[in-house]
Amino acid sequence: QRPEALNIGSIYPNPSTAKVQIPVSLAQSGTVELRVTDALGRECWRESRELPAGASMLIWNRGATAPGLYYVFVSADAGTATLPVVLLP
């Protein structure tokens, strides 16, 4: 059995007041895109990063993003995962 090519852990903390951490594990090194949208699908933030094979931690600092429900999309050649996150005031 081979490891999953893209494995996303739980966002922490969730709900959050400042920054969120997204654990990502890749079977092979590659480019990962992190995209955040609000509940209406409007993009709030996007970042691409080269990650090595194995476990990494992506961090999104919400900055002035308003409280509410958001969706975090993590994409790589191996696929895409979507996770909800709640931002508190």
Side-chain angles (χ1 to χ4, degrees):
Q1 184 177 6
R2 72 179 189 92
E4 289 294 320
L6 173 64
N7 187 16
I8 309 301
S10 297
I11 290 177
Y12 178 82
N14 193 7
S16 177
T17 58
K19 65 181 177 182
V20 295
Q21 300 176 31
I22 305 112
V24 176
S25 181
L26 297 175
Q28 298 179 23
S29 62
T31 302
V32 173
E33 181 176 84
L34 182 63
R35 190 169 60 92
V36 179
T37 67
D38 65 14
L40 298 176
R42 296 176 293 207
E43 188 173 283
C44 305
W45 189 71
R46 179 188 296 251
E47 178 182 40
S48 292
R49 189 182 300 180
E50 289 292 322
L51 295 181
S56 298
M57 186 70 68
L58 298 174
I59 296 176
W60 172 45
N61 186 344
R62 75 182 268 188
T65 305
L69 173 65
Y70 292 84
Y71 294 96
V72 176
F73 297 85
V74 181
S75 302
D77 288 341
T80 300
T82 306
L83 300 168
V85 63
V86 175
L87 299 182
L88 299 175

